[in-house]
Amino acid sequence: MTRATLTATPSDALQPTAIAITAAGFAPGETVRITSTLVDDAGVTWAAHGHFVADAQGEIDLATAPSEHGTYEGVDAAGLLWSMRPPSDTDRQFMIDATEKAHKLGSPQIDPVKPHVFELSASTDGQLRASTTLSLRRLAEGIEQVPLRDGRLRGQVFRWKERRLPDGRKRGCIFTFTGSGGGLELGYAPVLASLGYDVVCLAYFAYDDLPKFIAAIPLEYFEEGFQWAQQALGAETIAIQGASRGGELVMALASFLPEYVQGVIGIVPMYTTSVGWDPDKGFGGPSFTFRGEPIPHCGAGDDPDWDRMRRIGLAEPKGYALTPEYRKTLEEPETRANPLPVERAGGPVLLISGVDDQMWPSAWGSDLIVNRLRAKAFKHPYRHLCLKETGHITPFPNTVTTFTPAVLHSLLGIFLACGGTPAGTARTSRQSWDAMVAHYHSVFGY
């Protein structure tokens, strides 16, 4: 038996970095099981594996060698990272029984700024032949995480200790916004900061003493946030990013506060905003206001039957699909005649959607945004990246996507269909990440 090796290159990198996993020193044609494990902060062990056949040189490269069977099949360089499962495998009971928010969403519970540390091993016939460690960092050195509590502003800031770039220019600033789960957006934020930008995670509901739900939230709150960044961070250029309800929010901010925003990324966004919702008052009215007036929004539609939605969400393998109901409401003539004035945006626009979005029709909504920009002769660059095999969830590369087709909503407690496939979502994550990086290069010049 020859001495085998297992290598991850690079072995320490920022989370979205493409990782090459290779093995050598095996007999030609030998079947090798390669396994990845990750222990999260709650003590849950996530694992993935594949069975590979060594080539004529006794080598295996996951970028070219197919997994014949395991937690994923076929050729996928990142398969051992996205196909990880907890001990209960893909049973949704894992999410139902979970006490940690990340587990309820089907993800490892790991501090947002901590690296994800994977143990990789290669074995034949049950005998360990080689092992190595891979660390995917989420926050670069030189960044401090500080709370934001100024007036009514609430959130967290990832701020570079070196206030200027090496060439003396001021750093760009990105605002990131959460979706319908509320709280802070900490999935994208630390990684975006690691690219060299200051990042403000500005909460707007379901956090601290802010409103619990989205109803008549004034855009002036976000205007105060932009002004704070200009003064406290010295931000001369500001970009904004949000997903889902955060996606519609950033399109609204770009439309009504263009003097502050030089670039926008709407992830699974919509061409108008959703109706407001307060459990004490029900559905109705705007989600957001500006200068005391409602901004464009869709109608209330039919009152949802929450018990029915919960029953269907549990019974259906892919959860409760909201897209048909959303599409019906969003296509009403009054709503179609009341879109966001996105042509006012003050910089480049990037829209990222999933063809199979089952939460709401983000690809269709993004097309309507593009059509409006075209019709209004929008003067800045714009792009709609419509991802096949992807639904409502658009994570970074090298992220666990096993549970992405459905999500247990953290506020509603309903299994909602997201669409897409775990493998497809993982594959297209590289496209969305590359597009995001290119967008920020165009906005900030670095």
Side-chain angles (χ1 to χ4, degrees):
M1 185 177 293
T2 58
R3 181 179 178 182
T5 60
L6 181 63
T7 305
T9 308
S11 60
D12 188 335
L14 192 64
Q15 183 180 2
T17 304
I19 306 298
I21 299 176
T22 58
F26 296 92
E30 189 170 20
T31 297
V32 181
R33 176 185 170 114
I34 302 180
T35 300
S36 62
T37 59
L38 178 151
V39 180
D40 72 14
D41 291 347
V44 175
T45 298
W46 296 68
H49 71 276
H51 292 258
F52 307 87
V53 176
D55 65 14
Q57 286 72 45
E59 299 175 351
I60 298 168
D61 184 342
L62 268 62
T64 56
S67 168
E68 295 193 332
H69 60 91
T71 52
Y72 80 98
E73 294 183 354
V75 177
D76 194 321
L80 292 179
L81 304 178
W82 66 257
S83 70
M84 305 189 88
R85 295 162 163 80
S88 57
D89 198 60
T90 55
D91 185 359
R92 288 192 304 187
Q93 195 64 41
F94 169 77
M95 290 190 275
I96 294 172
D97 294 339
T99 57
E100 304 288 348
K101 183 176 180 180
H103 289 170
K104 288 183 179 294
L105 299 175
S107 300
Q109 175 66 33
I110 299 178
D111 186 309
V113 301
K114 285 177 57 177
H116 291 200
V117 179
F118 303 85
E119 298 296 332
L120 306 177
S121 63
S123 59
T124 57
D125 297 324
Q127 181 178 353
L128 178 65
R129 300 282 300 280
S131 63
T132 192
T133 300
L134 168 64
S135 180
L136 296 181
R137 290 177 283 102
R138 290 180 50 79
L139 190 65
E141 294 290 334
I143 301 173
E144 53 187 356
Q145 185 179 3
V146 296
L148 171 55
R149 192 177 182 89
D150 187 283
R152 59 177 172 171
L153 299 177
R154 301 290 183 268
Q156 288 190 35
V157 181
F158 292 92
R159 179 179 63 194
W160 279 85
K161 296 175 183 177
E162 292 292 336
R163 300 306 308 138
R164 291 181 177 269
L165 297 167
D167 61 8
R169 286 182 295 165
K170 291 185 177 180
R171 294 187 183 277
C173 179
I174 301 172
F175 276 70
T176 63
F177 301 102
T178 185
S180 61
L184 291 175
E185 193 297 293
L186 294 174
Y188 295 102
V191 181
L192 293 176
S194 298
L195 297 179
Y197 312 117
D198 290 330
V199 176
V200 179
C201 309
L202 185 62
Y204 59 105
F205 77 104
Y207 181 78
D208 204 282
D209 57 353
L210 295 176
K212 292 183 178 180
F213 298 93
I214 309 177
I217 296 175
L219 294 189
E220 287 82 355
Y221 170 77
F222 305 96
E223 184 176 32
E224 289 176 19
F226 299 147
Q227 292 171 348
W228 178 89
Q230 290 174 334
Q231 296 166 8
L233 301 177
E236 295 179 343
T237 305
I238 294 175
I240 56 177
Q241 173 178 317
S244 192
R245 292 300 302 273
E248 71 175 35
L249 168 61
V250 296
M251 301 314 299
L253 292 174
S255 299
F256 288 92
L257 294 170
E259 63 271 30
Y260 294 101
V261 178
Q262 286 76 50
V264 56
I265 298 181
I267 303 173
V268 292
M270 192 45 60
Y271 78 98
T272 189
T273 63
S274 301
V275 68
W277 177 49
D278 183 325
D280 296 330
K281 302 176 183 178
F283 283 89
S287 290
F288 305 99
T289 64
F290 185 61
R291 306 296 188 243
E293 297 293 330
I295 70 168
H297 61 88
C298 65
D302 298 329
D303 287 336
D305 185 335
W306 300 116
D307 290 337
R308 171 179 168 274
M309 291 172 67
R310 289 188 182 92
R311 289 196 304 271
I312 294 176
L314 285 171
E316 290 292 330
K318 295 184 179 180
Y320 188 90
L322 282 169
T323 288
E325 296 166 32
Y326 259 119
R327 181 70 181 259
K328 180 181 177 182
T329 302
L330 289 163
E331 284 194 316
E332 291 177 353
E334 296 161 354
T335 302
R336 288 290 297 271
N338 199 25
L340 291 166
V342 291
E343 69 278 4
R344 298 177 185 170
V349 174
L350 171 62
L351 309 171
I352 300 174
S353 72
V355 172
D356 191 39
D357 193 337
Q358 297 300 312
M359 191 76 74
W360 67 4
S362 62
W364 171 79
S366 296
D367 281 343
L368 293 183
I369 294 172
V370 167
N371 285 340
R372 184 174 180 87
L373 294 176
R374 291 175 60 247
K376 298 292 185 178
F378 186 58
K379 62 182 179 180
H380 301 287
Y382 57 93
R383 179 189 181 190
H384 175 200
L385 176 61
C386 191
L387 301 170
K388 296 180 180 180
E389 302 181 280
T390 301
H392 199 68
I393 307 299
T394 56
F396 282 130
N398 304 328
T399 298
V400 175
T401 59
T402 308
F403 291 92
T404 52
V407 64
L408 181 60
H409 196 281
S410 59
L411 294 181
L412 302 177
I414 299 173
F415 265 112
L416 296 176
C418 293
T421 66
T425 300
R427 276 193 292 270
T428 57
S429 66
R430 179 66 55 192
Q431 297 176 47
S432 59
W433 169 246
D434 289 346
M436 290 169 67
V437 172
H439 172 85
Y440 286 126
H441 280 323
S442 71
V443 171
F444 298 115
Y446 71 97

